[in-house]
Amino acid sequence: MSEAATQTYTRADEAFDCLQTAIVKGDLAPGEKIGEVELCSRFNLTRGPLREALGRLESRGLLVRRPHAGVKVVSVSAEELLELYRIRETMEGLAARQAAERMTDEEIADLQATLDSHEKMIEEAQGQAYYQAEGDYDFHHRIATGSRNTKLAQMLLGDLYYMVRMYRYRLSTSSGRPHMALGEHRRIAEAIAQRDGELAEFLMKRHINAARKNIEKRIQNGTAGV
Amino acid sequence: MSEAATQTYTRADEAFDCLQTAIVKGDLAPGEKIGEVELCSRFNLTRGPLREALGRLESRGLLVRRPHAGVKVVSVSAEELLELYRIRETMEGLAARQAAERMTDEEIADLQATLDSHEKMIEEAQGQAYYQAEGDYDFHHRIATGSRNTKLAQMLLGDLYYMVRMYRYRLSTSSGRPHMALGEHRRIAEAIAQRDGELAEFLMKRHINAARKNIEKRIQNGTAGV
DNA sequence: TCTATCGTTATTGTCAACAATCCATAGATT
DNA sequence: AATCTATGGATTGTTGACAATAACGATAGA
């Protein structure tokens, strides 16, 4: 959640984190038009740092801001959410390939250990979708950073994942997939451990593709009013 | 260069554009540590809008900012530049595929007309690398927007291209490639016109891969002190 | 009754002063 | 002589007030 050792935690950073989690968790509903002073009083901030945070959020695509007309949380349509997964498919495929080539042995061991704890979490917290989502996020996070591709990790972690997580809170992860996803994670980790970049890329793409199809199906069933 | 009809052009937008072009053109050298007041006097701005622009630039990865320690333009290593092209390869491959499926007939006609004018520009301005670079940018820009994938276009146009252009100004485009690149562009456009997404994706990936190898070679030859 | 124009009002954009923090230089100590 | 510490200066972060702008409502005309 928190970045590395930010030497000094400035007010603008605080505002940024507050707003970001608020948007991701849905405390600020998509499409909701909200004023700056309102936000200030709600998060105990002044307008300076707030505006700076707003600018950062805007360039990350989490909210739109029309001059003199206020800010509103971005509302992504169902089609756009699926497009997001298409992007993830290619980018994370690349990340997996590079991770297989570049992760240290320790990192790989950690990755596999992480999967063990995920398995326990799923068994214990049956249906507790939240922990599953966090575990999934953790897995993909490790691979993104493991790619040693600075910009790639930055784009995945800074841009895409926040939007994906934002919609996880509404379309809480589907009931059947956790076990299946864990198995797919295992196979990906295996491929990385064997330093088989091509296979890791293939498996990762298929993994995300499956997740996309799953969402697609649920949307068509009318489960979600995205 | 300029985005769509920004209803009101605010001071912060001005600052953002100024700084961005300054960074891209190299007026602000990479690694250069520069103070806020210095920037203000240089671009006739006040610190408010400037800081907002700084925040946006930072989250786009064009500069880094340590609290109380000033901002400095990001300096990308040769390896990172090559990594950038790996990202482009996958993302623009996707963009080309989706563009083949979704661009309107008019857009495709425009795209091909654009290539004609590019050809003229190359012939007329022999060795004028600048125009070639702009033409190349134009081509890729059209395909990114033609993908009808909002987030994909945003990431390509907002994040990657600025960094790529930034290094184009130092590693001015190689002498031999313009004609070759134009031919590759032609074939990609052809595939899009035939609505062959798979082929368009393949050709685009190969096109960017070739560009990457070209840069790689030039770096090894010691032509560029990135 | 509907539409268009105008004025008000509230919200955002901008500015300049204040406070907090870090960097560098100079001094003292080991 | 080298290193650690402390103080001064400069720079950034923050705050509150001021000005510009667009949305909203009211009024008049069709």
Side-chain angles (χ1 to χ4, degrees):
Chain A
M1 189 80 82
S2 60
E3 287 301 312
T6 306
Q7 295 180 345
T8 52
Y9 192 64
T10 176
R11 254 351 201 287
D13 293 327
E14 187 184 328
F16 182 73
D17 288 347
C18 278
L19 289 176
Q20 185 157 258
T21 58
I23 291 172
V24 168
K25 290 204 172 185
D27 296 340
L28 266 52
E32 185 179 1
K33 183 155 59 180
I34 192 160
E36 289 185 1
V37 287
E38 167 95 25
L39 287 171
C40 287
S41 62
R42 201 153 146 185
F43 294 100
N44 278 44
L45 296 163
T46 59
R47 282 186 57 214
L50 179 86
R51 283 178 61 78
E52 191 165 319
L54 252 38
R56 282 197 253 176
L57 262 331
E58 186 188 21
S59 79
R60 292 204 176 182
L62 282 175
L63 51 84
V64 292
R65 188 148 70 129
R66 276 229 318 272
H68 299 284
V71 305
K72 74 175 208 279
V73 178
V74 75
S75 66
V76 175
S77 68
E79 284 82 22
E80 284 173 315
L81 180 62
L82 295 175
E83 294 297 335
L84 232 61
Y85 272 78
R86 288 239 164 70
I87 302 173
R88 279 189 70 190
E89 189 179 323
T90 62
M91 290 186 73
E92 298 209 38
L94 172 62
R97 193 177 72 205
Q98 298 196 318
E101 297 165 356
R102 299 176 185 175
M103 274 177 100
T104 67
D105 293 335
E106 288 92 343
E107 284 176 320
I108 294 175
D110 278 2
L111 182 70
Q112 291 181 316
T114 302
L115 289 179
D116 293 337
S117 78
H118 290 175
E119 188 166 18
K120 281 203 195 95
M121 289 206 305
I122 291 174
E123 285 172 2
E124 289 172 4
Q126 272 288 19
Q128 262 287 24
Y130 173 77
Y131 289 106
Q132 202 281 326
E134 282 306 305
D136 185 72
Y137 175 72
D138 188 16
F139 177 78
H140 289 278
H141 186 102
R142 280 167 190 269
I143 287 179
T145 55
S147 74
R148 295 283 188 288
N149 191 329
T150 315
K151 192 72 187 176
L152 180 62
Q154 184 185 321
M155 292 174 96
L156 283 173
L157 302 177
D159 280 304
L160 283 180
Y161 285 175
Y162 285 117
M163 300 206 94
V164 172
R165 290 174 83 189
M166 175 171 156
Y167 280 91
R168 279 250 180 84
Y169 274 87
R170 317 204 199 320
L171 273 67
S172 61
T173 47
S174 79
S175 43
R177 258 191 72 72
H179 284 93
M180 202 139 89
L182 183 68
E184 291 169 5
H185 285 181
R186 273 253 150 74
R187 279 200 288 273
I188 294 168
E190 192 79 12
I192 291 174
Q194 289 169 3
R195 305 293 184 185
D196 189 340
E198 233 173 333
L199 180 61
E201 178 172 10
F202 172 78
L203 290 174
M204 177 63 90
K205 287 176 91 166
R206 199 167 66 172
H207 169 56
I208 293 176
N209 200 9
R212 199 200 75 232
K213 282 179 182 165
N214 186 50
I215 291 174
E216 207 166 7
K217 199 167 62 185
R218 297 186 68 212
I219 289 175
Q220 285 177 346
N221 286 1
T223 313
V226 182
Chain B
M1 191 82 82
S2 61
E3 288 299 311
T6 306
Q7 295 181 345
T8 52
Y9 193 63
T10 176
R11 250 356 197 286
D13 293 327
E14 187 184 330
F16 182 74
D17 288 347
C18 278
L19 289 176
Q20 185 157 257
T21 58
I23 291 173
V24 168
K25 289 205 171 184
D27 296 340
L28 265 51
E32 184 178 0
K33 185 155 57 180
I34 190 160
E36 291 185 0
V37 287
E38 167 95 26
L39 288 170
C40 287
S41 62
R42 199 153 148 187
F43 296 101
N44 278 46
L45 296 163
T46 60
R47 283 186 56 215
L50 178 87
R51 283 180 60 78
E52 191 167 333
L54 252 39
R56 283 197 253 176
L57 262 332
E58 186 189 21
S59 79
R60 292 205 177 183
L62 282 174
L63 52 81
V64 291
R65 187 147 71 128
R66 276 228 321 268
H68 300 282
V71 303
K72 76 176 207 279
V73 179
V74 75
S75 67
V76 175
S77 68
E79 284 83 20
E80 284 173 316
L81 180 63
L82 295 175
E83 294 297 334
L84 232 61
Y85 272 78
R86 288 239 164 71
I87 302 174
R88 280 190 69 190
E89 189 180 323
T90 63
M91 289 187 73
E92 298 210 39
L94 173 61
R97 194 177 71 204
Q98 297 195 318
E101 299 164 355
R102 300 177 185 174
M103 273 178 100
T104 67
D105 293 336
E106 288 90 345
E107 284 176 320
I108 294 174
D110 278 3
L111 182 70
Q112 291 181 317
T114 302
L115 289 180
D116 293 337
S117 79
H118 290 175
E119 187 166 17
K120 281 203 195 94
M121 288 205 306
I122 291 174
E123 285 172 2
E124 289 173 4
Q126 273 288 22
Q128 261 287 22
Y130 173 79
Y131 290 105
Q132 202 281 327
E134 283 305 306
D136 185 72
Y137 175 73
D138 190 16
F139 177 77
H140 290 278
H141 185 103
R142 282 168 189 268
I143 287 179
T145 55
S147 73
R148 295 283 189 287
N149 191 330
T150 316
K151 190 73 186 175
L152 180 62
Q154 183 186 323
M155 291 174 95
L156 282 173
L157 302 176
D159 280 303
L160 284 180
Y161 285 174
Y162 286 118
M163 298 207 95
V164 171
R165 291 174 81 191
M166 174 173 158
Y167 280 91
R168 278 250 180 84
Y169 274 87
R170 317 204 199 319
L171 272 66
S172 62
T173 47
S174 80
S175 41
R177 257 190 72 73
H179 285 93
M180 202 141 87
L182 183 67
E184 291 169 4
H185 286 180
R186 274 252 150 76
R187 279 199 289 273
I188 292 168
E190 191 80 13
I192 290 174
Q194 289 170 4
R195 304 294 183 185
D196 189 340
E198 235 173 332
L199 181 61
E201 178 173 8
F202 171 79
L203 290 173
M204 178 63 90
K205 287 176 90 167
R206 197 167 67 174
H207 169 57
I208 293 176
N209 200 8
R212 198 199 76 231
K213 282 180 182 165
N214 186 50
I215 291 175
E216 206 167 6
K217 198 167 62 185
R218 297 186 67 213
I219 289 176
Q220 285 179 347
N221 285 1
T223 314
V226 180

